[in-house]
Amino acid sequence: MKIHLSGSLVLTTWLCLFGLSSAAALPPERAGLPDIDRRAGGTAVAAAGGQQAAVAALRTQVAGAGIDFNEVVGGPKWVRSRDGYLSGPGGEGQGISAAAAAGFAADDPHRTAKAFVQEHQALFGYGPEVLASARIYRDYVTPHNGMKTTLWQQELDGIEVYEAVFAAHTTKAGELIGISSQFLADPAAAANAGATGYASRSQPVITAQQAVVAAAGSLEEPVDLAGVQAMGNGATGAEQRQQFTAKPFNQAIEVRLVWLPMNPKQMRLSWEVTLTSHARGETFRVLVDAQTGEVQVRRCLTVDLSDATYRVYTSDSPSPFSPGW
């Protein structure tokens, strides 16, 4: 059986298949902005001599132990064992000695993590007392296997330390699966070191509106300071959370104070500005130094699965038999 297509139908089909695919191959209207991070000279912080010795000590206790270090603060970004757990049941054995475990009550829900930090203070650069001053913002047990995940957020003066999260994962039996730290050993000393010459370490010199202008300029979409208009009832809390509107941004711009670690012993008070670029269709997080107005970090929060673009038809489809079947 042969099917004969009319010339108009063939043309329509050709446009649909080839015209649409060629439209999909068009490049994005604007080139993407790369992430930037001006901290620590853009290089990884090498583990200190004491940490290297602590790594060797841990590997004598736990077979297959592996440690990755944080590029900025130098702490153990991830500690795990490829051959099993870091501790035995109940937070004792292997990487946790009986003496370290005995320092914490058996009914302490975070006994295993605290005992591991106590045992390996030279690796972390601090003891379990740092966890006591941090805020637990997630304490979750996975229903199907009983794995417990606890996340601590480091804070100072009621302001979060940027990305300073401590995470511990334990089994239902209290065995330590893995642990991660991006904490600073002494956040107060680090903040004081970063605020040298200023009367108060937690009071910004740059206003939130000025931070918005700096962040927008970093996205190559400049705005005027007078055009940055506050929304709601103004700043709230120690972090001075607030929202603004500013053209050409058509969504609310969120601003708050954070501490930005610059290296293991210094952090700077910064404005964290989250804004969505209308021209690029992407959301960015920009950290602006609250003392100098310099953009220290910029990260795109939008992930594109493909850089292809498509032609959208708002009336009849170009497919055969349209309108109708």
Side-chain angles (χ1 to χ4, degrees), residues 112-147:
T112 300
K114 292 176 181 178
F116 188 83
V117 174
Q118 176 69 32
E119 179 84 12
H120 302 281
Q121 292 192 43
L123 177 64
F124 290 92
Y126 54 81
E129 68 281 353
V130 173
L131 294 178
S133 62
R135 172 176 58 87
I136 294 177
Y137 73 93
R138 184 173 176 84
D139 210 1
Y140 179 76
V141 177
T142 305
H144 74 277
N145 61 9
M147 183 184 78

mmCIF file of all heavy atoms in Angstrom, residues 112-147:
data_model
loop_
_atom_site.group_PDB
_atom_site.id
_atom_site.type_symbol
_atom_site.label_atom_id
_atom_site.label_comp_id
_atom_site.label_asym_id
_atom_site.label_seq_id
_atom_site.Cartn_x
_atom_site.Cartn_y
_atom_site.Cartn_z
ATOM 1 N N THR A 112 27.928 9.254 69.678
ATOM 2 C CA THR A 112 28.914 8.709 68.751
ATOM 3 C C THR A 112 29.714 9.816 68.068
ATOM 4 O O THR A 112 30.949 9.753 67.998
ATOM 5 C CB THR A 112 28.217 7.841 67.694
ATOM 6 O OG1 THR A 112 27.526 6.767 68.349
ATOM 7 C CG2 THR A 112 29.212 7.247 66.712
ATOM 8 N N ALA A 113 29.020 10.841 67.556
ATOM 9 C CA ALA A 113 29.712 11.943 66.871
ATOM 10 C C ALA A 113 30.607 12.704 67.839
ATOM 11 O O ALA A 113 31.757 13.032 67.512
ATOM 12 C CB ALA A 113 28.698 12.880 66.237
ATOM 13 N N LYS A 114 30.123 12.995 69.027
ATOM 14 C CA LYS A 114 30.910 13.743 70.001
ATOM 15 C C LYS A 114 32.147 12.962 70.425
ATOM 16 O O LYS A 114 33.246 13.526 70.558
ATOM 17 C CB LYS A 114 30.049 14.072 71.221
ATOM 18 C CG LYS A 114 28.928 15.063 70.946
ATOM 19 C CD LYS A 114 28.067 15.266 72.185
ATOM 20 C CE LYS A 114 26.925 16.237 71.924
ATOM 21 N NZ LYS A 114 26.057 16.390 73.129
ATOM 22 N N ALA A 115 31.983 11.648 70.633
ATOM 23 C CA ALA A 115 33.119 10.824 71.053
ATOM 24 C C ALA A 115 34.170 10.739 69.950
ATOM 25 O O ALA A 115 35.374 10.738 70.240
ATOM 26 C CB ALA A 115 32.634 9.427 71.432
ATOM 27 N N PHE A 116 33.742 10.703 68.694
ATOM 28 C CA PHE A 116 34.696 10.650 67.587
ATOM 29 C C PHE A 116 35.498 11.947 67.506
ATOM 30 O O PHE A 116 36.717 11.918 67.298
ATOM 31 C CB PHE A 116 33.964 10.394 66.271
ATOM 32 C CG PHE A 116 34.874 10.129 65.104
ATOM 33 C CD1 PHE A 116 35.381 8.855 64.881
ATOM 34 C CD2 PHE A 116 35.240 11.151 64.231
ATOM 35 C CE1 PHE A 116 36.233 8.602 63.810
ATOM 36 C CE2 PHE A 116 36.089 10.913 63.166
ATOM 37 C CZ PHE A 116 36.587 9.627 62.953
ATOM 38 N N VAL A 117 34.826 13.084 67.679
ATOM 39 C CA VAL A 117 35.532 14.366 67.667
ATOM 40 C C VAL A 117 36.483 14.457 68.856
ATOM 41 O O VAL A 117 37.613 14.956 68.738
ATOM 42 C CB VAL A 117 34.529 15.537 67.670
ATOM 43 C CG1 VAL A 117 35.255 16.870 67.801
ATOM 44 C CG2 VAL A 117 33.697 15.526 66.402
ATOM 45 N N GLN A 118 36.042 13.970 70.012
ATOM 46 C CA GLN A 118 36.899 13.962 71.195
ATOM 47 C C GLN A 118 38.164 13.143 70.943
ATOM 48 O O GLN A 118 39.278 13.560 71.291
ATOM 49 C CB GLN A 118 36.131 13.385 72.391
ATOM 50 C CG GLN A 118 36.922 13.237 73.671
ATOM 51 C CD GLN A 118 37.280 14.570 74.285
ATOM 52 O OE1 GLN A 118 36.544 15.533 74.171
ATOM 53 N NE2 GLN A 118 38.433 14.627 74.957
ATOM 54 N N GLU A 119 37.989 12.000 70.305
ATOM 55 C CA GLU A 119 39.115 11.106 70.019
ATOM 56 C C GLU A 119 40.100 11.710 69.019
ATOM 57 O O GLU A 119 41.306 11.482 69.107
ATOM 58 C CB GLU A 119 38.579 9.773 69.484
ATOM 59 C CG GLU A 119 39.636 8.755 69.127
ATOM 60 C CD GLU A 119 40.099 7.944 70.334
ATOM 61 O OE1 GLU A 119 39.441 8.021 71.395
ATOM 62 O OE2 GLU A 119 41.112 7.241 70.205
ATOM 63 N N HIS A 120 39.572 12.499 68.068
ATOM 64 C CA HIS A 120 40.403 12.973 66.959
ATOM 65 C C HIS A 120 40.428 14.502 66.885
ATOM 66 O O HIS A 120 40.257 15.094 65.825
ATOM 67 C CB HIS A 120 39.888 12.376 65.649
ATOM 68 C CG HIS A 120 39.864 10.879 65.646
ATOM 69 N ND1 HIS A 120 40.988 10.113 65.441
ATOM 70 C CD2 HIS A 120 38.842 10.004 65.867
ATOM 71 C CE1 HIS A 120 40.679 8.835 65.517
ATOM 72 N NE2 HIS A 120 39.383 8.744 65.772
ATOM 73 N N GLN A 121 40.647 15.150 68.031
ATOM 74 C CA GLN A 121 40.693 16.604 68.082
ATOM 75 C C GLN A 121 41.785 17.175 67.187
ATOM 76 O O GLN A 121 41.616 18.245 66.591
ATOM 77 C CB GLN A 121 40.894 17.082 69.518
ATOM 78 C CG GLN A 121 39.703 16.823 70.433
ATOM 79 C CD GLN A 121 39.809 17.557 71.751
ATOM 80 O OE1 GLN A 121 40.176 18.718 71.792
ATOM 81 N NE2 GLN A 121 39.461 16.878 72.843
ATOM 82 N N ALA A 122 42.886 16.474 67.062
ATOM 83 C CA ALA A 122 43.971 16.971 66.216
ATOM 84 C C ALA A 122 43.577 16.987 64.749
ATOM 85 O O ALA A 122 44.078 17.808 63.975
ATOM 86 C CB ALA A 122 45.211 16.103 66.413
ATOM 87 N N LEU A 123 42.669 16.120 64.366
ATOM 88 C CA LEU A 123 42.196 16.081 62.986
ATOM 89 C C LEU A 123 41.237 17.231 62.707
ATOM 90 O O LEU A 123 41.319 17.892 61.666
ATOM 91 C CB LEU A 123 41.510 14.747 62.716
ATOM 92 C CG LEU A 123 40.889 14.549 61.328
ATOM 93 C CD1 LEU A 123 41.969 14.567 60.249
ATOM 94 C CD2 LEU A 123 40.112 13.238 61.277
ATOM 95 N N PHE A 124 40.328 17.485 63.643
ATOM 96 C CA PHE A 124 39.309 18.518 63.460
ATOM 97 C C PHE A 124 39.811 19.918 63.831
ATOM 98 O O PHE A 124 39.318 20.910 63.295
ATOM 99 C CB PHE A 124 38.065 18.180 64.279
ATOM 100 C CG PHE A 124 37.305 16.998 63.763
ATOM 101 C CD1 PHE A 124 37.563 15.721 64.238
ATOM 102 C CD2 PHE A 124 36.337 17.156 62.787
ATOM 103 C CE1 PHE A 124 36.865 14.621 63.762
ATOM 104 C CE2 PHE A 124 35.628 16.071 62.300
ATOM 105 C CZ PHE A 124 35.898 14.792 62.782
ATOM 106 N N GLY A 125 40.730 19.986 64.776
ATOM 107 C CA GLY A 125 41.202 21.290 65.239
ATOM 108 C C GLY A 125 40.373 21.840 66.373
ATOM 109 O O GLY A 125 40.581 22.986 66.804
ATOM 110 N N TYR A 126 39.448 21.080 66.894
ATOM 111 C CA TYR A 126 38.593 21.486 68.018
ATOM 112 C C TYR A 126 38.016 20.236 68.663
ATOM 113 O O TYR A 126 38.137 19.121 68.142
ATOM 114 C CB TYR A 126 37.467 22.403 67.549
ATOM 115 C CG TYR A 126 36.635 21.832 66.412
ATOM 116 C CD1 TYR A 126 35.626 20.917 66.652
ATOM 117 C CD2 TYR A 126 36.862 22.219 65.093
ATOM 118 C CE1 TYR A 126 34.862 20.382 65.623
ATOM 119 C CE2 TYR A 126 36.116 21.698 64.057
ATOM 120 C CZ TYR A 126 35.114 20.784 64.324
ATOM 121 O OH TYR A 126 34.377 20.252 63.290
ATOM 122 N N GLY A 127 37.379 20.436 69.810
ATOM 123 C CA GLY A 127 36.751 19.341 70.529
ATOM 124 C C GLY A 127 35.242 19.382 70.402
ATOM 125 O O GLY A 127 34.667 20.251 69.729
ATOM 126 N N PRO A 128 34.545 18.470 71.068
ATOM 127 C CA PRO A 128 33.082 18.386 70.955
ATOM 128 C C PRO A 128 32.343 19.584 71.519
ATOM 129 O O PRO A 128 31.147 19.748 71.274
ATOM 130 C CB PRO A 128 32.748 17.107 71.732
ATOM 131 C CG PRO A 128 33.904 16.912 72.664
ATOM 132 C CD PRO A 128 35.098 17.418 71.941
ATOM 133 N N GLU A 129 33.044 20.457 72.267
ATOM 134 C CA GLU A 129 32.374 21.650 72.799
ATOM 135 C C GLU A 129 31.889 22.572 71.685
ATOM 136 O O GLU A 129 30.937 23.350 71.876
ATOM 137 C CB GLU A 129 33.315 22.412 73.735
ATOM 138 C CG GLU A 129 34.514 23.061 73.054
ATOM 139 C CD GLU A 129 35.654 22.113 72.745
ATOM 140 O OE1 GLU A 129 35.583 20.943 73.186
ATOM 141 O OE2 GLU A 129 36.606 22.537 72.067
ATOM 142 N N VAL A 130 32.498 22.495 70.496
ATOM 143 C CA VAL A 130 32.061 23.320 69.373
ATOM 144 C C VAL A 130 30.656 22.922 68.936
ATOM 145 O O VAL A 130 29.854 23.773 68.527
ATOM 146 C CB VAL A 130 33.062 23.205 68.196
ATOM 147 C CG1 VAL A 130 32.539 23.916 66.966
ATOM 148 C CG2 VAL A 130 34.406 23.786 68.599
ATOM 149 N N LEU A 131 30.338 21.640 69.045
ATOM 150 C CA LEU A 131 28.988 21.191 68.688
ATOM 151 C C LEU A 131 27.951 21.733 69.668
ATOM 152 O O LEU A 131 26.809 22.011 69.287
ATOM 153 C CB LEU A 131 28.920 19.663 68.659
ATOM 154 C CG LEU A 131 29.744 18.966 67.572
ATOM 155 C CD1 LEU A 131 29.613 17.448 67.701
ATOM 156 C CD2 LEU A 131 29.302 19.423 66.192
ATOM 157 N N ALA A 132 28.344 21.885 70.914
ATOM 158 C CA ALA A 132 27.400 22.380 71.928
ATOM 159 C C ALA A 132 26.969 23.812 71.639
ATOM 160 O O ALA A 132 25.851 24.217 71.993
ATOM 161 C CB ALA A 132 28.030 22.282 73.309
ATOM 162 N N SER A 133 27.834 24.601 71.006
ATOM 163 C CA SER A 133 27.492 25.992 70.710
ATOM 164 C C SER A 133 26.867 26.165 69.333
ATOM 165 O O SER A 133 26.521 27.285 68.953
ATOM 166 C CB SER A 133 28.762 26.858 70.803
ATOM 167 O OG SER A 133 29.727 26.444 69.845
ATOM 168 N N ALA A 134 26.722 25.079 68.580
ATOM 169 C CA ALA A 134 26.121 25.140 67.247
ATOM 170 C C ALA A 134 24.640 24.797 67.327
ATOM 171 O O ALA A 134 24.155 24.247 68.319
ATOM 172 C CB ALA A 134 26.846 24.195 66.297
ATOM 173 N N ARG A 135 23.934 25.110 66.265
ATOM 174 C CA ARG A 135 22.484 24.864 66.209
ATOM 175 C C ARG A 135 22.192 23.613 65.376
ATOM 176 O O ARG A 135 22.627 23.503 64.239
ATOM 177 C CB ARG A 135 21.774 26.077 65.587
ATOM 178 C CG ARG A 135 20.280 25.878 65.301
ATOM 179 C CD ARG A 135 19.653 27.159 64.787
ATOM 180 N NE ARG A 135 20.300 27.656 63.578
ATOM 181 C CZ ARG A 135 19.960 27.272 62.342
ATOM 182 N NH1 ARG A 135 19.005 26.369 62.144
ATOM 183 N NH2 ARG A 135 20.586 27.788 61.288
ATOM 184 N N ILE A 136 21.452 22.675 65.965
ATOM 185 C CA ILE A 136 21.013 21.497 65.216
ATOM 186 C C ILE A 136 19.808 21.892 64.367
ATOM 187 O O ILE A 136 18.795 22.355 64.894
ATOM 188 C CB ILE A 136 20.642 20.344 66.158
ATOM 189 C CG1 ILE A 136 21.884 19.841 66.903
ATOM 190 C CG2 ILE A 136 20.006 19.193 65.367
ATOM 191 C CD1 ILE A 136 21.601 18.743 67.899
ATOM 192 N N TYR A 137 19.914 21.759 63.051
ATOM 193 C CA TYR A 137 18.784 22.102 62.206
ATOM 194 C C TYR A 137 18.213 20.908 61.454
ATOM 195 O O TYR A 137 17.215 21.049 60.746
ATOM 196 C CB TYR A 137 19.154 23.223 61.223
ATOM 197 C CG TYR A 137 20.059 22.836 60.077
ATOM 198 C CD1 TYR A 137 19.532 22.439 58.849
ATOM 199 C CD2 TYR A 137 21.436 22.899 60.215
ATOM 200 C CE1 TYR A 137 20.373 22.106 57.794
ATOM 201 C CE2 TYR A 137 22.271 22.582 59.164
ATOM 202 C CZ TYR A 137 21.732 22.185 57.952
ATOM 203 O OH TYR A 137 22.551 21.846 56.906
ATOM 204 N N ARG A 138 18.817 19.751 61.637
ATOM 205 C CA ARG A 138 18.240 18.534 61.062
ATOM 206 C C ARG A 138 18.685 17.347 61.910
ATOM 207 O O ARG A 138 19.872 17.164 62.170
ATOM 208 C CB ARG A 138 18.658 18.336 59.617
ATOM 209 C CG ARG A 138 17.992 17.127 58.952
ATOM 210 C CD ARG A 138 18.314 17.094 57.453
ATOM 211 N NE ARG A 138 17.790 15.933 56.777
ATOM 212 C CZ ARG A 138 16.557 15.820 56.316
ATOM 213 N NH1 ARG A 138 15.709 16.821 56.477
ATOM 214 N NH2 ARG A 138 16.140 14.738 55.699
ATOM 215 N N ASP A 139 17.727 16.550 62.343
ATOM 216 C CA ASP A 139 17.986 15.356 63.137
ATOM 217 C C ASP A 139 16.976 14.309 62.679
ATOM 218 O O ASP A 139 15.888 14.207 63.222
ATOM 219 C CB ASP A 139 17.830 15.665 64.627
ATOM 220 C CG ASP A 139 18.723 14.803 65.499
ATOM 221 O OD1 ASP A 139 19.471 13.977 64.950
ATOM 222 O OD2 ASP A 139 18.684 14.951 66.737
ATOM 223 N N TYR A 140 17.361 13.548 61.662
ATOM 224 C CA TYR A 140 16.388 12.732 60.930
ATOM 225 C C TYR A 140 16.804 11.269 60.917
ATOM 226 O O TYR A 140 17.976 10.943 60.735
ATOM 227 C CB TYR A 140 16.274 13.251 59.493
ATOM 228 C CG TYR A 140 15.313 12.463 58.626
ATOM 229 C CD1 TYR A 140 13.939 12.617 58.765
ATOM 230 C CD2 TYR A 140 15.792 11.575 57.670
ATOM 231 C CE1 TYR A 140 13.064 11.902 57.973
ATOM 232 C CE2 TYR A 140 14.915 10.856 56.854
ATOM 233 C CZ TYR A 140 13.552 11.027 57.018
ATOM 234 O OH TYR A 140 12.682 10.304 56.229
ATOM 235 N N VAL A 141 15.812 10.390 61.111
ATOM 236 C CA VAL A 141 16.027 8.946 61.049
ATOM 237 C C VAL A 141 15.326 8.409 59.814
ATOM 238 O O VAL A 141 14.118 8.596 59.645
ATOM 239 C CB VAL A 141 15.508 8.244 62.316
ATOM 240 C CG1 VAL A 141 15.669 6.729 62.183
ATOM 241 C CG2 VAL A 141 16.243 8.749 63.554
ATOM 242 N N THR A 142 16.083 7.720 58.954
ATOM 243 C CA THR A 142 15.507 7.128 57.750
ATOM 244 C C THR A 142 14.649 5.936 58.147
ATOM 245 O O THR A 142 15.141 5.014 58.806
ATOM 246 C CB THR A 142 16.618 6.673 56.788
ATOM 247 O OG1 THR A 142 17.485 7.783 56.514
ATOM 248 C CG2 THR A 142 16.033 6.152 55.494
ATOM 249 N N PRO A 143 13.362 5.928 57.756
ATOM 250 C CA PRO A 143 12.442 4.880 58.241
ATOM 251 C C PRO A 143 12.856 3.465 57.876
ATOM 252 O O PRO A 143 12.762 2.555 58.706
ATOM 253 C CB PRO A 143 11.104 5.260 57.591
ATOM 254 C CG PRO A 143 11.211 6.718 57.305
ATOM 255 C CD PRO A 143 12.646 6.949 56.964
ATOM 256 N N HIS A 144 13.334 3.233 56.656
ATOM 257 C CA HIS A 144 13.508 1.844 56.215
ATOM 258 C C HIS A 144 14.757 1.168 56.767
ATOM 259 O O HIS A 144 14.830 -0.067 56.825
ATOM 260 C CB HIS A 144 13.513 1.770 54.682
ATOM 261 C CG HIS A 144 14.771 2.268 54.048
ATOM 262 N ND1 HIS A 144 14.995 3.598 53.817
ATOM 263 C CD2 HIS A 144 15.886 1.609 53.611
ATOM 264 C CE1 HIS A 144 16.179 3.742 53.248
ATOM 265 N NE2 HIS A 144 16.743 2.561 53.116
ATOM 266 N N ASN A 145 15.762 1.946 57.205
ATOM 267 C CA ASN A 145 16.965 1.295 57.729
ATOM 268 C C ASN A 145 17.450 1.862 59.061
ATOM 269 O O ASN A 145 18.421 1.360 59.632
ATOM 270 C CB ASN A 145 18.105 1.361 56.703
ATOM 271 C CG ASN A 145 18.505 2.791 56.361
ATOM 272 O OD1 ASN A 145 18.061 3.747 56.990
ATOM 273 N ND2 ASN A 145 19.347 2.942 55.349
ATOM 274 N N GLY A 146 16.787 2.897 59.561
ATOM 275 C CA GLY A 146 17.142 3.451 60.862
ATOM 276 C C GLY A 146 18.386 4.317 60.869
ATOM 277 O O GLY A 146 18.866 4.705 61.940
ATOM 278 N N MET A 147 18.939 4.656 59.694
ATOM 279 C CA MET A 147 20.124 5.522 59.660
ATOM 280 C C MET A 147 19.755 6.917 60.154
ATOM 281 O O MET A 147 18.765 7.489 59.726
ATOM 282 C CB MET A 147 20.694 5.608 58.247
ATOM 283 C CG MET A 147 21.973 6.435 58.182
ATOM 284 S SD MET A 147 22.630 6.669 56.519
ATOM 285 C CE MET A 147 21.529 7.963 55.916
#
